[in-house]
């Protein structure tokens, strides 16, 4: 780990990130933010095909990094760069998603990058658990999806559709009326987003430790429109290793006629908490960052490793954490400091 007093080696990646961070900090005023965010993340001749994704230059980790620098926590700020400098998905939740989707995709277009968006507003979201909420009914959800699509427009984006929605449907935690309409609503959302000229869609399929009946899962994904999407997503907000996830994903892909998929590697550097305990998925200690986002996966079926869950955002009010989705700086620091493979 380089200390502030040392001079780091200026690799192409380091130079690119240094320029991006300098531009972002220089453009910190509210008036300048939308334009400068795109400029700050602009493409660089040293960027290869394995790094196509947009990074939010003034997101929560970057702001936290600045606060720690101001308070003299320079070593912690440097550690947090392992999170703040990586592309992470932007979650569209309740409220009107159109302005946020438009701003993110607009900034990414200026940067010649692809933003990853998460559509997360299905009725009866999270079966009343830590991330409960969602649209009030099917009609409200259709209107919400239409607004999200309008925000994306003809710009490029990857959309991860409704984390946990199908896996929770498979566990029978939904009210009967919500269960009956859920897969159809997802299929409608796939069609709405895929009608856009530059949008790729990946339907969430849970994780390698959740639904063991993959035939049932494949059937549900088909009813949810995965054949019209670009594939499915695995390990969102979870911790299963990339190796275990690829084994699970390849089997599921075979049941879907060779469907492609993406993997959330944001926090899977040490795998899941073992032995498994109650709520072992919720802010488990001793975890580590996984493979940084890239489209160079070495697998013809895996389109990308992506950071869908932002490392440092809480999974829920367990283990002394803030509510789901809230920034938890010390947990982020633990993730950034951890050495993968050493839980």
């Amino acid at each position: 780990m380089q200390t502030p007093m040392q001079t780091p080696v200026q690799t192409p990646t380091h130079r690119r990130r240094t320029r991006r961070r300098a531009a972002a900090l220089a453009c910190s005023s509210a008036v300048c933010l939308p334009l400068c965010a795109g400029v700050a993340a602009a493409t660089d001749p040293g960027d290869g095909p394995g790094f196509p994704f947009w990074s939010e230059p003034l997101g929560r980790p970057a702001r936290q990094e600045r606060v720690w620098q101001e308070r003299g926590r320079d070593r912690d700020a440097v550690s947090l760069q392992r999170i703040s400098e990586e592309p992470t998905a932007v979650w569209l939740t309740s409220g009107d998603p159109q302005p946020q989707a438009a701003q993110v995709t607009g900034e990414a277009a200026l940067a010649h990058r692809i933003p990853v968006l998460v559509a997360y507003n299905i009725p009866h979201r999270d079966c009343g658990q830590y991330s409960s909420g969602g649209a009030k009914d099917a009609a409200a959800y259709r209107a919400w999806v239409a607004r999200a699509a309008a925000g994306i427009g003809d710009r490029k984006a990857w959309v991860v559709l409704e984390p946990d929605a199908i896996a929770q449907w498979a566990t029978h935690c939904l009210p009967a009326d919500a269960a009956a309409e859920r897969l159809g609503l997802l299929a409608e959302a796939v069609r709405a987003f895929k009608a856009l000229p530059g949008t790729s869609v990946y339907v969430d399929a849970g994780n390698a430790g959740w639904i063991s009946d993959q035939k049932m899962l494949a059937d549900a994904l088909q009813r949810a429109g995965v054949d019209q999407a670009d594939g499915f997503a695995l390990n969102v907000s979870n911790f299963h290793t990339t190796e275990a996830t690829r084994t699970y994903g390849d089997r599921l892909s075979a049941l879907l006629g060779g469907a492609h998929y993406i993997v959330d590697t944001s926090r899977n550097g040490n795998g899941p908490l073992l032995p498994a305990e109650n709520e072992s998925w919720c802010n488990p200690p001793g975890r580590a960052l996984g493979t940084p986002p890239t489209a160079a996966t070495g697998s013809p079926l895996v389109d990308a490793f992506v950071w869908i869950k932002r490392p440092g955002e809480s999974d829920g009010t367990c283990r002394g954490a803030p509510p789901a989705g809230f920034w938890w700086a010390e947990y982020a620091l633990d993730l950034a400091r951890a050495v993968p493979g050493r839980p």
Side-chain angles (χ1 to χ4, degrees):
M1 179 65 65
Q2 297 282 353
T3 68
M5 297 301 294
Q6 294 174 310
T7 302
V9 176
Q10 293 291 310
T11 64
T13 299
H14 182 91
R15 288 194 297 269
R16 179 181 70 239
R17 291 174 175 175
T18 300
R19 286 195 296 271
R20 184 174 68 199
R21 181 162 301 281
L25 294 178
C27 296
S28 59
S29 71
V31 174
C32 184
L33 176 59
L35 174 60
C36 292
V39 173
T43 189
D44 180 274
D47 296 339
F51 193 80
F53 301 111
W54 178 76
S55 178
E56 184 180 15
L58 292 177
R60 292 172 177 175
R63 296 197 299 269
Q64 184 68 62
E65 183 183 330
R66 192 187 319 184
V67 169
W68 281 347
Q69 288 172 338
E70 292 170 350
R71 295 178 180 177
R73 294 179 60 175
D74 292 341
R75 290 179 181 270
D76 294 342
V78 170
S79 296
L80 202 62
Q81 288 178 11
R82 295 188 63 206
I83 295 174
S84 65
E85 293 179 342
E86 297 296 345
T88 310
V90 175
W91 292 57
L92 306 176
T93 56
S94 58
D96 182 1
Q98 191 275 337
Q100 186 179 18
Q103 179 175 353
V104 168
T105 55
E107 293 176 9
L110 287 173
H112 306 289
R113 299 287 189 190
I114 302 172
V116 179
L117 302 173
V118 181
Y120 192 53
N121 198 42
I122 197 80
H124 296 277
R125 188 181 67 202
D126 203 28
C127 287
Q129 298 183 76
Y130 290 127
S131 296
S132 62
K136 65 178 182 178
D137 55 30
Y141 184 66
R142 293 184 182 102
W144 184 89
V145 168
R147 290 290 290 168
I152 297 170
D154 60 1
R155 294 178 290 271
K156 290 183 179 179
W158 283 21
V159 174
V160 178
L161 187 61
E162 299 296 345
D164 298 346
I166 291 180
Q168 288 182 334
W169 172 89
T171 61
H172 308 293
C173 65
L174 294 167
D177 57 342
E181 71 184 9
R182 171 158 292 188
L183 301 183
L185 278 179
L186 291 172
E188 290 181 39
V190 169
R191 291 193 292 271
F193 286 120
K194 283 304 297 178
L196 304 175
T199 299
S200 298
V201 180
Y202 293 88
V203 183
D204 187 75
N207 62 71
W210 198 345
I211 305 300
S212 58
D213 186 347
Q214 287 190 293
K215 178 61 168 63
M216 177 185 67
L217 181 59
D219 290 344
L221 283 164
Q222 288 175 330
R223 291 172 59 187
V226 73
D227 289 345
Q228 299 174 58
D230 294 85
F232 56 93
L234 289 174
N235 206 46
V236 173
S237 298
N238 218 282
F239 302 85
H240 292 277
T241 65
T242 302
E243 180 181 8
T245 301
R246 285 181 59 172
T247 298
Y248 185 88
D250 286 357
R251 290 173 180 166
L252 184 58
S253 172
L255 295 171
L256 293 168
H260 288 210
Y261 62 98
I262 59 177
V263 178
D264 185 353
T265 58
S266 58
R267 304 182 298 174
N268 73 344
N270 280 336
L273 184 65
L274 296 175
E277 58 183 54
N278 186 37
E279 294 191 333
S280 59
W281 53 268
C282 188
N283 305 311
R287 302 309 93 196
L289 303 175
T291 302
T294 179
T297 67
S299 168
L301 292 177
V302 183
D303 288 345
F305 300 135
V306 285
W307 283 15
I308 301 173
K309 172 74 173 185
R310 187 192 301 277
E313 291 185 357
S314 173
D315 296 314
T317 52
C318 60
R319 297 183 170 89
F326 279 62
W327 176 247
W328 190 9
E330 297 304 323
Y331 191 77
L333 184 59
D334 288 343
L335 288 168
R337 284 176 168 172
V339 178
R342 298 180 187 177

